[in-house]
Amino acid sequence: MTAADFGVDPTTATSPEQYVMLLRRVRDQSGLAYRETARRAQRNGDVLPASTLATMLGRSTLPRRDLVSALLRACDVPDDRAAAWLAVWGRLAAARPAARPPATRGRPSSQPGHSPVGPATRTTGPSGPVAAPGTEGIGPTSHTEGSAALRLIPAGGGIGSAGPERGRADASGGGRDRAVLRGLPWPTVDEVRPVEGGSGAPVPYQLPPAPPLMVGRSAEIGRLLSSTEADAAVCLVEGAGGVGKSALALHVAHRIVGRYDGGCLYADLRGATAGIAAAEPADVLGRFLRALGVPAVPASLDEASALLRTWTAERGVLVVLDNAASAAQVRPLLSSGPGCTTIITSRWKLPDLDTTARVRLDPLPDDAALALLTGLTGAQRVQAEPAAAATVVRRCGGLPLALRIVGARAAARPDASLTGLAERMDDEGLRLDVLEVGDLSVRTSLHVGYQAFGDSPQGARQQAGRLFRLAALPDWTHFTPYGCAALADLPVTAAERALDALVDAHLIESAGGGRYRFHDIVRLYGRERAQAVDDPPHREEALGRLTAWLLAATTRAARLLYPHDRFGIDEPAGPAHPGPPLGNTADAWAWFEREHTNLLLIARQQTAAGRSLTEVRDLALVAAKFLDYAGYIAEQQQFGHLAVTAATRLDDRSGAASGLNIVAVALLRQGRLDEAIPLLERCLAVHRDLGDRSREAAVLNNLGNALRDSGDLTGALHHLQAALVVRRQLGHRHKEGLVLDNLALVYQRLGDYSRAIACHEAGRAVADSGTDPLREAQALVNFAETLEASGDHRAAIARAAESLEVCRRYEHQRGIGLALQVLGNAHAGLGHRAVARRHWREALDRLDGLDPQACTRLRAALAPATTPDPLTPH
């Protein structure tokens, strides 16, 4: 498409305003977006940034001739038509009144190194003298002198020179002439370039000193360095307060500043400065423009921003915007010339800012943090007290700011030991106090991010600030919008919005899967704020709501997994807040896997405070079966002790005995039979005394298993048969199947395989298929063990494979490991040694940390110096 096709006639323009209107029509009818127009201009060798084009077409004044020429070429206007446009431009430019040059500032115009600009000024370019036409406004005759923000660059480093081709006239002349006459209200790059032998024009060099020590950031440095090589690069370095954003930006800026003939502009935007309002973009623009030598700064923010882009477009300037508060603060300060680069740091994610690259900074890993501490305190001190140094590093949580503060403290007291410092940092009540020295403070750094919420007049931001405080109170490892909604008594959607806002501020971190977490130091600060702002009753109510919600959600998940169990608790009241969507048993198992550690930590926290004791007791009883199936033995034992403590304080003998039963089962899993059996006998006596037959049957079953594993097979038969009688009297068919399965294992140990197999089959017959798939998987693997012991290896393989399929579907690690163990035994019985060893190795990987007794047998089987018999329990 050509200009003739557009039907735009430039000769109809009688004023600059009409001329610009016709240029707009050419651009509109070309169908090109601003960015595409800018890209085409760049391919043509012209400089026409999208922002400059938008500014040019949005004004009523006559644009620069080279910009008009670049636009016409980008729109594929033929040379003859472009010549007509430029002829009209010349007529309109000649019709303007000539302006007198302003008085020279700073030094006489005849002084070397200065070339006054005006209607009659001539400047020397690569192609020889070029006369400047009359202009509407005349640019400065010198740059600001005496400013601490400026560094004088010798004449050899002329401002903005981009190689020998810049400003060279095309041999064909006409519309393609690069050395065009420009009507400018400010000097061009060539016009401020120093004359031959001059002392040079001042170029801004505003970078603060680079950090003296930079470790552990090689990957981030590489990404940022690579990102700055793009044309008009806008690079954002984001991360939490104290993570080292400014240090990284300055480190990289000092490495690349030599690329930029136009110098470097720097501003602290104060988006992370305690007690000081964020910098106004207009004020920063004024400082930048004055540093560049602009004689008068426009009052309009838009005009000042456009002027900055124009002045930096061809000069090649590095701009560092530190501690940005928002995208709106940054946008007016962006340069868009292809040779310019902007590096921004912010503790906010700034999702609404267009960038060419984003570099996220996370806390340093332990090895890099130790290297930084070593560099700050000296290798001798770290080597002399390695344990204390490791503690300091761990308590600093990888935050460079915290490590620098510790380093400064250590440097100020070379005679003090790191051990004393480590001990104080181990105290959560003192840690934030330790992390302050001089004007450096982790607490102050965090407060800057928090005050945008806590001190905000906006309801939504205040809500986020309150949730930040309350979410720091529980001892959870991670949290979800559902749990936070219960904690803060909010709708789930409101909690989600608040959490997203806190993530954007880097006050919390996304842990994936809709979960969030605190950095340890940020959590301490959040608790401080909660104690300072929220009354004790409100804090206790929040934790109580959370504990009640956890019980309701846990019970719901357990009901899906074990529909026949009542767990010996009253049905929890309906939750005031919804829980996560749990559609099936797989969802319920996954929920337990995610939350079981949180359940224990919050139960422990509430028990220590003497709160929510009923909920703690019931949480232990509901969670115990999952913990036993999954093989989380240590948590199972701890939860049992919490249940005992809570029930004892509630004067609940039955609850306390049930808690002891949980502890005893955990001891059985560890092979500590001598400790477990007396506890089970105590539990049995209490439940018989209280007449609680259901719990009596449960303890009889566990006691029978314990006696079986101890070698007392007669006692095991006695207790299991008694348990079977009670289950049948109570009509607990599902529980009857479980007891039959355990009886089968006793008969297996006695060598009575026919009776053992009959018990296995009877147990499977009375169990409701599909209602407790993981229990069925356990029964299948027990059946496979009996078949393998009886010599029917192929039948054992079939049953173990069925169990393995169920356990893999639920990602049940302990069940997978036990099924693989039996598969290995059966294959070994068939002489398939390689297959057996493969199964045993995977079983060991799965069971490590979950079943110590099984792992001992597996290691013996895999030992190269032995030829093991099939693995059977002892």
Side-chain angles (χ1 to χ4, degrees), residues 44-47 64-73 79 82-83 86 89 125-131 165-182 190 314:
N44 292 337
D46 296 318
V47 177
R64 284 164 32 188
R65 188 179 188 277
D66 63 321
L67 298 181
V68 173
S69 180
L71 172 60
L72 296 174
R73 284 196 290 273
D79 287 355
L86 294 175
W89 183 93
S127 302
V130 178
E165 297 300 320
R166 183 179 296 276
R168 180 174 297 168
D170 191 302
S172 62
R176 304 288 178 177
D177 184 5
R178 299 290 178 84
V180 293
L181 302 178
R182 304 176 181 179
D190 287 338
E314 296 183 7

mmCIF file of all heavy atoms in Angstrom, residues 44-47 64-73 79 82-83 86 89 125-131 165-182 190 314:
data_model
loop_
_atom_site.group_PDB
_atom_site.id
_atom_site.type_symbol
_atom_site.label_atom_id
_atom_site.label_comp_id
_atom_site.label_asym_id
_atom_site.label_seq_id
_atom_site.Cartn_x
_atom_site.Cartn_y
_atom_site.Cartn_z
ATOM 1 N N ASN A 44 15.005 0.236 8.988
ATOM 2 C CA ASN A 44 15.432 1.188 7.956
ATOM 3 C C ASN A 44 16.651 1.995 8.373
ATOM 4 O O ASN A 44 17.159 2.815 7.594
ATOM 5 C CB ASN A 44 14.288 2.152 7.619
ATOM 6 C CG ASN A 44 13.128 1.455 6.928
ATOM 7 O OD1 ASN A 44 13.304 0.404 6.319
ATOM 8 N ND2 ASN A 44 11.927 2.025 7.045
ATOM 9 N N GLY A 45 17.097 1.827 9.625
ATOM 10 C CA GLY A 45 18.234 2.599 10.116
ATOM 11 C C GLY A 45 17.838 3.915 10.744
ATOM 12 O O GLY A 45 18.698 4.757 11.022
ATOM 13 N N ASP A 46 16.545 4.113 10.982
ATOM 14 C CA ASP A 46 16.056 5.358 11.588
ATOM 15 C C ASP A 46 15.810 5.147 13.079
ATOM 16 O O ASP A 46 15.670 4.010 13.549
ATOM 17 C CB ASP A 46 14.744 5.783 10.929
ATOM 18 C CG ASP A 46 14.927 6.130 9.453
ATOM 19 O OD1 ASP A 46 15.924 6.799 9.132
ATOM 20 O OD2 ASP A 46 14.081 5.715 8.639
ATOM 21 N N VAL A 47 15.749 6.241 13.819
ATOM 22 C CA VAL A 47 15.408 6.210 15.241
ATOM 23 C C VAL A 47 14.041 6.830 15.411
ATOM 24 O O VAL A 47 13.857 8.036 15.252
ATOM 25 C CB VAL A 47 16.451 6.973 16.090
ATOM 26 C CG1 VAL A 47 16.019 6.985 17.555
ATOM 27 C CG2 VAL A 47 17.816 6.328 15.944
ATOM 28 N N ARG A 64 9.956 17.170 14.108
ATOM 29 C CA ARG A 64 11.275 17.224 13.499
ATOM 30 C C ARG A 64 11.248 16.583 12.123
ATOM 31 O O ARG A 64 10.509 15.625 11.876
ATOM 32 C CB ARG A 64 12.281 16.481 14.388
ATOM 33 C CG ARG A 64 12.682 17.247 15.592
ATOM 34 C CD ARG A 64 13.360 16.407 16.648
ATOM 35 N NE ARG A 64 14.158 15.293 16.144
ATOM 36 C CZ ARG A 64 14.681 14.364 16.943
ATOM 37 N NH1 ARG A 64 14.475 14.432 18.241
ATOM 38 N NH2 ARG A 64 15.392 13.377 16.444
ATOM 39 N N ARG A 65 12.082 17.121 11.216
ATOM 40 C CA ARG A 65 12.093 16.646 9.829
ATOM 41 C C ARG A 65 12.527 15.181 9.749
ATOM 42 O O ARG A 65 11.969 14.392 8.971
ATOM 43 C CB ARG A 65 13.056 17.523 9.002
ATOM 44 C CG ARG A 65 13.018 17.250 7.494
ATOM 45 C CD ARG A 65 13.987 18.197 6.797
ATOM 46 N NE ARG A 65 13.884 18.129 5.335
ATOM 47 C CZ ARG A 65 14.484 17.226 4.579
ATOM 48 N NH1 ARG A 65 15.227 16.299 5.150
ATOM 49 N NH2 ARG A 65 14.338 17.232 3.273
ATOM 50 N N ASP A 66 13.535 14.773 10.566
ATOM 51 C CA ASP A 66 14.003 13.395 10.487
ATOM 52 C C ASP A 66 12.953 12.409 10.986
ATOM 53 O O ASP A 66 12.849 11.285 10.501
ATOM 54 C CB ASP A 66 15.301 13.222 11.269
ATOM 55 C CG ASP A 66 15.131 13.493 12.748
ATOM 56 O OD1 ASP A 66 14.400 14.434 13.099
ATOM 57 O OD2 ASP A 66 15.740 12.770 13.562
ATOM 58 N N LEU A 67 12.117 12.835 11.937
ATOM 59 C CA LEU A 67 11.053 11.963 12.418
ATOM 60 C C LEU A 67 9.977 11.792 11.355
ATOM 61 O O LEU A 67 9.433 10.694 11.177
ATOM 62 C CB LEU A 67 10.446 12.516 13.703
ATOM 63 C CG LEU A 67 11.394 12.625 14.911
ATOM 64 C CD1 LEU A 67 10.654 13.169 16.125
ATOM 65 C CD2 LEU A 67 12.025 11.278 15.243
ATOM 66 N N VAL A 68 9.661 12.878 10.660
ATOM 67 C CA VAL A 68 8.692 12.793 9.559
ATOM 68 C C VAL A 68 9.212 11.834 8.492
ATOM 69 O O VAL A 68 8.498 10.948 8.012
ATOM 70 C CB VAL A 68 8.429 14.181 8.955
ATOM 71 C CG1 VAL A 68 7.557 14.065 7.695
ATOM 72 C CG2 VAL A 68 7.769 15.096 9.978
ATOM 73 N N SER A 69 10.493 12.002 8.119
ATOM 74 C CA SER A 69 11.085 11.152 7.098
ATOM 75 C C SER A 69 11.069 9.685 7.531
ATOM 76 O O SER A 69 10.754 8.783 6.746
ATOM 77 C CB SER A 69 12.519 11.611 6.823
ATOM 78 O OG SER A 69 13.119 10.806 5.829
ATOM 79 N N ALA A 70 11.377 9.415 8.839
ATOM 80 C CA ALA A 70 11.386 8.047 9.340
ATOM 81 C C ALA A 70 9.993 7.436 9.317
ATOM 82 O O ALA A 70 9.810 6.261 8.963
ATOM 83 C CB ALA A 70 11.948 8.023 10.756
ATOM 84 N N LEU A 71 8.984 8.225 9.672
ATOM 85 C CA LEU A 71 7.610 7.733 9.658
ATOM 86 C C LEU A 71 7.181 7.377 8.239
ATOM 87 O O LEU A 71 6.584 6.319 8.003
ATOM 88 C CB LEU A 71 6.674 8.781 10.264
ATOM 89 C CG LEU A 71 5.171 8.477 10.142
ATOM 90 C CD1 LEU A 71 4.819 7.176 10.844
ATOM 91 C CD2 LEU A 71 4.340 9.630 10.710
ATOM 92 N N LEU A 72 7.478 8.248 7.279
ATOM 93 C CA LEU A 72 7.068 8.008 5.894
ATOM 94 C C LEU A 72 7.738 6.744 5.355
ATOM 95 O O LEU A 72 7.102 5.940 4.672
ATOM 96 C CB LEU A 72 7.420 9.218 5.028
ATOM 97 C CG LEU A 72 6.678 10.524 5.382
ATOM 98 C CD1 LEU A 72 7.222 11.686 4.564
ATOM 99 C CD2 LEU A 72 5.183 10.389 5.168
ATOM 100 N N ARG A 73 9.016 6.572 5.660
ATOM 101 C CA ARG A 73 9.690 5.369 5.185
ATOM 102 C C ARG A 73 9.114 4.110 5.836
ATOM 103 O O ARG A 73 8.951 3.088 5.172
ATOM 104 C CB ARG A 73 11.197 5.453 5.461
ATOM 105 C CG ARG A 73 11.925 6.369 4.485
ATOM 106 C CD ARG A 73 13.426 6.122 4.534
ATOM 107 N NE ARG A 73 14.031 6.571 5.769
ATOM 108 C CZ ARG A 73 14.459 7.825 5.968
ATOM 109 N NH1 ARG A 73 14.349 8.720 5.002
ATOM 110 N NH2 ARG A 73 14.990 8.167 7.114
ATOM 111 N N ASP A 79 9.549 7.418 -2.560
ATOM 112 C CA ASP A 79 10.451 8.564 -2.450
ATOM 113 C C ASP A 79 9.831 9.836 -2.993
ATOM 114 O O ASP A 79 9.979 10.915 -2.398
ATOM 115 C CB ASP A 79 11.757 8.273 -3.201
ATOM 116 C CG ASP A 79 12.620 7.267 -2.439
ATOM 117 O OD1 ASP A 79 12.236 6.902 -1.306
ATOM 118 O OD2 ASP A 79 13.654 6.856 -2.980
ATOM 119 N N ALA A 82 7.349 11.082 -0.558
ATOM 120 C CA ALA A 82 8.024 11.567 0.643
ATOM 121 C C ALA A 82 8.644 12.931 0.394
ATOM 122 O O ALA A 82 8.643 13.811 1.269
ATOM 123 C CB ALA A 82 9.089 10.570 1.088
ATOM 124 N N ALA A 83 9.180 13.135 -0.829
ATOM 125 C CA ALA A 83 9.760 14.436 -1.153
ATOM 126 C C ALA A 83 8.709 15.536 -1.076
ATOM 127 O O ALA A 83 8.992 16.659 -0.626
ATOM 128 C CB ALA A 83 10.385 14.381 -2.545
ATOM 129 N N LEU A 86 8.152 16.402 2.566
ATOM 130 C CA LEU A 86 9.246 17.164 3.148
ATOM 131 C C LEU A 86 9.297 18.584 2.592
ATOM 132 O O LEU A 86 9.730 19.516 3.280
ATOM 133 C CB LEU A 86 10.567 16.440 2.886
ATOM 134 C CG LEU A 86 10.695 15.081 3.609
ATOM 135 C CD1 LEU A 86 11.971 14.382 3.207
ATOM 136 C CD2 LEU A 86 10.626 15.259 5.118
ATOM 137 N N TRP A 89 6.907 20.351 4.625
ATOM 138 C CA TRP A 89 7.518 20.585 5.936
ATOM 139 C C TRP A 89 8.441 21.802 5.881
ATOM 140 O O TRP A 89 8.431 22.653 6.776
ATOM 141 C CB TRP A 89 8.333 19.348 6.344
ATOM 142 C CG TRP A 89 8.945 19.462 7.736
ATOM 143 C CD1 TRP A 89 8.421 19.042 8.891
ATOM 144 C CD2 TRP A 89 10.193 20.092 8.061
ATOM 145 N NE1 TRP A 89 9.246 19.341 9.941
ATOM 146 C CE2 TRP A 89 10.353 19.995 9.463
ATOM 147 C CE3 TRP A 89 11.189 20.715 7.308
ATOM 148 C CZ2 TRP A 89 11.451 20.499 10.123
ATOM 149 C CZ3 TRP A 89 12.301 21.211 7.970
ATOM 150 C CH2 TRP A 89 12.435 21.109 9.366
ATOM 151 N N GLY A 125 29.429 18.012 11.785
ATOM 152 C CA GLY A 125 29.007 16.621 11.844
ATOM 153 C C GLY A 125 29.919 15.784 11.003
ATOM 154 O O GLY A 125 30.843 16.266 10.361
ATOM 155 N N PRO A 126 29.688 14.517 10.915
ATOM 156 C CA PRO A 126 30.553 13.625 10.145
ATOM 157 C C PRO A 126 30.592 13.976 8.671
ATOM 158 O O PRO A 126 31.543 13.645 7.990
ATOM 159 C CB PRO A 126 29.905 12.250 10.376
ATOM 160 C CG PRO A 126 29.143 12.369 11.640
ATOM 161 C CD PRO A 126 28.674 13.772 11.675
ATOM 162 N N SER A 127 29.569 14.627 8.149
ATOM 163 C CA SER A 127 29.531 14.942 6.725
ATOM 164 C C SER A 127 29.886 16.383 6.447
ATOM 165 O O SER A 127 29.700 16.885 5.351
ATOM 166 C CB SER A 127 28.132 14.643 6.167
ATOM 167 O OG SER A 127 27.799 13.296 6.387
ATOM 168 N N GLY A 128 30.382 17.096 7.457
ATOM 169 C CA GLY A 128 30.726 18.495 7.255
ATOM 170 C C GLY A 128 29.737 19.399 7.929
ATOM 171 O O GLY A 128 28.814 18.973 8.595
ATOM 172 N N PRO A 129 29.883 20.726 7.757
ATOM 173 C CA PRO A 129 29.007 21.674 8.425
ATOM 174 C C PRO A 129 27.561 21.510 7.988
ATOM 175 O O PRO A 129 27.270 21.286 6.825
ATOM 176 C CB PRO A 129 29.572 23.038 8.005
ATOM 177 C CG PRO A 129 30.967 22.748 7.573
ATOM 178 C CD PRO A 129 30.937 21.391 6.982
ATOM 179 N N VAL A 130 26.661 21.606 8.970
ATOM 180 C CA VAL A 130 25.233 21.535 8.695
ATOM 181 C C VAL A 130 24.588 22.755 9.312
ATOM 182 O O VAL A 130 24.777 23.044 10.483
ATOM 183 C CB VAL A 130 24.618 20.249 9.304
ATOM 184 C CG1 VAL A 130 23.137 20.212 9.056
ATOM 185 C CG2 VAL A 130 25.284 19.012 8.707
ATOM 186 N N ALA A 131 23.825 23.487 8.542
ATOM 187 C CA ALA A 131 23.168 24.684 9.049
ATOM 188 C C ALA A 131 21.859 24.303 9.711
ATOM 189 O O ALA A 131 21.081 23.537 9.171
ATOM 190 C CB ALA A 131 22.912 25.670 7.921
ATOM 191 N N GLU A 165 28.638 5.789 11.300
ATOM 192 C CA GLU A 165 27.529 5.942 10.369
ATOM 193 C C GLU A 165 26.517 6.982 10.832
ATOM 194 O O GLU A 165 25.691 7.427 10.057
ATOM 195 C CB GLU A 165 26.805 4.596 10.181
ATOM 196 C CG GLU A 165 27.692 3.514 9.567
ATOM 197 C CD GLU A 165 28.205 3.925 8.199
ATOM 198 O OE1 GLU A 165 27.454 4.506 7.420
ATOM 199 O OE2 GLU A 165 29.386 3.655 7.919
ATOM 200 N N ARG A 166 26.518 7.315 12.141
ATOM 201 C CA ARG A 166 25.485 8.229 12.619
ATOM 202 C C ARG A 166 25.633 9.590 11.949
ATOM 203 O O ARG A 166 26.675 10.218 11.976
ATOM 204 C CB ARG A 166 25.579 8.380 14.148
ATOM 205 C CG ARG A 166 24.477 9.271 14.708
ATOM 206 C CD ARG A 166 24.569 9.376 16.207
ATOM 207 N NE ARG A 166 24.352 8.099 16.872
ATOM 208 C CZ ARG A 166 23.141 7.623 17.157
ATOM 209 N NH1 ARG A 166 22.071 8.286 16.800
ATOM 210 N NH2 ARG A 166 23.023 6.482 17.773
ATOM 211 N N GLY A 167 24.530 10.076 11.390
ATOM 212 C CA GLY A 167 24.511 11.406 10.796
ATOM 213 C C GLY A 167 25.104 11.460 9.419
ATOM 214 O O GLY A 167 25.136 12.511 8.794
ATOM 215 N N ARG A 168 25.558 10.334 8.847
ATOM 216 C CA ARG A 168 26.164 10.382 7.516
ATOM 217 C C ARG A 168 25.072 10.518 6.468
ATOM 218 O O ARG A 168 24.077 9.819 6.481
ATOM 219 C CB ARG A 168 26.973 9.109 7.276
ATOM 220 C CG ARG A 168 27.628 9.073 5.913
ATOM 221 C CD ARG A 168 28.530 7.852 5.788
ATOM 222 N NE ARG A 168 29.612 7.931 6.745
ATOM 223 C CZ ARG A 168 30.420 6.909 7.032
ATOM 224 N NH1 ARG A 168 30.239 5.757 6.456
ATOM 225 N NH2 ARG A 168 31.390 7.060 7.907
ATOM 226 N N ALA A 169 25.282 11.405 5.499
ATOM 227 C CA ALA A 169 24.295 11.619 4.451
ATOM 228 C C ALA A 169 24.305 10.470 3.471
ATOM 229 O O ALA A 169 25.339 9.938 3.121
ATOM 230 C CB ALA A 169 24.585 12.932 3.701
ATOM 231 N N ASP A 170 23.113 10.069 3.021
ATOM 232 C CA ASP A 170 23.003 9.065 1.975
ATOM 233 C C ASP A 170 23.517 9.665 0.670
ATOM 234 O O ASP A 170 23.237 10.810 0.344
ATOM 235 C CB ASP A 170 21.533 8.644 1.834
ATOM 236 C CG ASP A 170 21.387 7.424 0.961
ATOM 237 O OD1 ASP A 170 21.818 7.474 -0.201
ATOM 238 O OD2 ASP A 170 20.818 6.428 1.448
ATOM 239 N N ALA A 171 24.259 8.898 -0.103
ATOM 240 C CA ALA A 171 24.860 9.411 -1.344
ATOM 241 C C ALA A 171 23.812 9.846 -2.331
ATOM 242 O O ALA A 171 24.050 10.717 -3.176
ATOM 243 C CB ALA A 171 25.763 8.344 -1.963
ATOM 244 N N SER A 172 22.638 9.289 -2.261
ATOM 245 C CA SER A 172 21.601 9.648 -3.217
ATOM 246 C C SER A 172 20.918 10.944 -2.886
ATOM 247 O O SER A 172 20.198 11.515 -3.694
ATOM 248 C CB SER A 172 20.562 8.532 -3.293
ATOM 249 O OG SER A 172 19.939 8.367 -2.030
ATOM 250 N N GLY A 173 21.103 11.455 -1.637
ATOM 251 C CA GLY A 173 20.474 12.699 -1.226
ATOM 252 C C GLY A 173 18.975 12.566 -1.145
ATOM 253 O O GLY A 173 18.414 11.522 -0.977
ATOM 254 N N GLY A 174 18.261 13.667 -1.335
ATOM 255 C CA GLY A 174 16.799 13.675 -1.365
ATOM 256 C C GLY A 174 16.210 13.269 -0.041
ATOM 257 O O GLY A 174 16.702 13.569 1.024
ATOM 258 N N GLY A 175 15.075 12.515 -0.127
ATOM 259 C CA GLY A 175 14.323 12.136 1.052
ATOM 260 C C GLY A 175 15.052 11.173 1.939
ATOM 261 O O GLY A 175 14.658 10.957 3.070
ATOM 262 N N ARG A 176 16.116 10.541 1.445
ATOM 263 C CA ARG A 176 16.848 9.578 2.264
ATOM 264 C C ARG A 176 18.019 10.208 2.989
ATOM 265 O O ARG A 176 18.810 9.515 3.593
ATOM 266 C CB ARG A 176 17.363 8.425 1.398
ATOM 267 C CG ARG A 176 16.259 7.726 0.621
ATOM 268 C CD ARG A 176 15.396 6.897 1.554
ATOM 269 N NE ARG A 176 14.300 6.259 0.835
ATOM 270 C CZ ARG A 176 13.429 5.437 1.388
ATOM 271 N NH1 ARG A 176 13.514 5.186 2.659
ATOM 272 N NH2 ARG A 176 12.471 4.889 0.689
ATOM 273 N N ASP A 177 18.169 11.525 2.937
ATOM 274 C CA ASP A 177 19.303 12.205 3.562
ATOM 275 C C ASP A 177 19.199 12.085 5.068
ATOM 276 O O ASP A 177 18.230 12.515 5.672
ATOM 277 C CB ASP A 177 19.314 13.671 3.135
ATOM 278 C CG ASP A 177 20.521 14.428 3.667
ATOM 279 O OD1 ASP A 177 21.403 13.799 4.286
ATOM 280 O OD2 ASP A 177 20.559 15.632 3.456
ATOM 281 N N ARG A 178 20.253 11.455 5.693
ATOM 282 C CA ARG A 178 20.240 11.316 7.142
ATOM 283 C C ARG A 178 20.648 12.602 7.837
ATOM 284 O O ARG A 178 20.317 12.805 8.989
ATOM 285 C CB ARG A 178 21.184 10.185 7.561
ATOM 286 C CG ARG A 178 20.800 8.833 6.996
ATOM 287 C CD ARG A 178 19.504 8.344 7.660
ATOM 288 N NE ARG A 178 19.090 7.081 7.105
ATOM 289 C CZ ARG A 178 19.580 5.924 7.524
ATOM 290 N NH1 ARG A 178 20.492 5.910 8.446
ATOM 291 N NH2 ARG A 178 19.158 4.806 7.004
ATOM 292 N N ALA A 179 21.456 13.444 7.187
ATOM 293 C CA ALA A 179 21.891 14.689 7.815
ATOM 294 C C ALA A 179 20.838 15.747 7.540
ATOM 295 O O ALA A 179 21.071 16.734 6.863
ATOM 296 C CB ALA A 179 23.247 15.121 7.282
ATOM 297 N N VAL A 180 19.613 15.518 8.055
ATOM 298 C CA VAL A 180 18.495 16.403 7.747
ATOM 299 C C VAL A 180 18.593 17.669 8.566
ATOM 300 O O VAL A 180 19.215 17.720 9.628
ATOM 301 C CB VAL A 180 17.168 15.677 8.058
ATOM 302 C CG1 VAL A 180 16.968 14.522 7.109
ATOM 303 C CG2 VAL A 180 17.132 15.206 9.492
ATOM 304 N N LEU A 181 17.939 18.702 8.062
ATOM 305 C CA LEU A 181 17.826 19.933 8.839
ATOM 306 C C LEU A 181 16.746 19.726 9.893
ATOM 307 O O LEU A 181 15.669 19.238 9.595
ATOM 308 C CB LEU A 181 17.435 21.095 7.915
ATOM 309 C CG LEU A 181 18.413 21.345 6.764
ATOM 310 C CD1 LEU A 181 17.878 22.496 5.912
ATOM 311 C CD2 LEU A 181 19.776 21.681 7.284
ATOM 312 N N ARG A 182 17.056 20.102 11.116
ATOM 313 C CA ARG A 182 16.119 19.834 12.195
ATOM 314 C C ARG A 182 15.641 21.125 12.843
ATOM 315 O O ARG A 182 16.448 21.964 13.217
ATOM 316 C CB ARG A 182 16.785 18.953 13.267
ATOM 317 C CG ARG A 182 17.325 17.640 12.670
ATOM 318 C CD ARG A 182 18.044 16.854 13.707
ATOM 319 N NE ARG A 182 18.578 15.624 13.127
ATOM 320 C CZ ARG A 182 19.275 14.734 13.798
ATOM 321 N NH1 ARG A 182 19.532 14.929 15.063
ATOM 322 N NH2 ARG A 182 19.724 13.641 13.218
ATOM 323 N N ASP A 190 24.429 15.826 17.635
ATOM 324 C CA ASP A 190 25.569 16.411 16.943
ATOM 325 C C ASP A 190 25.830 17.832 17.421
ATOM 326 O O ASP A 190 26.967 18.275 17.500
ATOM 327 C CB ASP A 190 25.314 16.430 15.427
ATOM 328 C CG ASP A 190 25.415 15.015 14.846
ATOM 329 O OD1 ASP A 190 26.052 14.163 15.486
ATOM 330 O OD2 ASP A 190 24.843 14.781 13.761
ATOM 331 N N GLU A 314 18.804 9.327 21.307
ATOM 332 C CA GLU A 314 19.972 9.065 20.484
ATOM 333 C C GLU A 314 21.273 9.086 21.273
ATOM 334 O O GLU A 314 22.336 8.786 20.725
ATOM 335 C CB GLU A 314 20.053 10.089 19.345
ATOM 336 C CG GLU A 314 18.890 9.996 18.371
ATOM 337 C CD GLU A 314 19.034 10.975 17.219
ATOM 338 O OE1 GLU A 314 20.094 11.610 17.118
ATOM 339 O OE2 GLU A 314 18.092 11.102 16.435
#
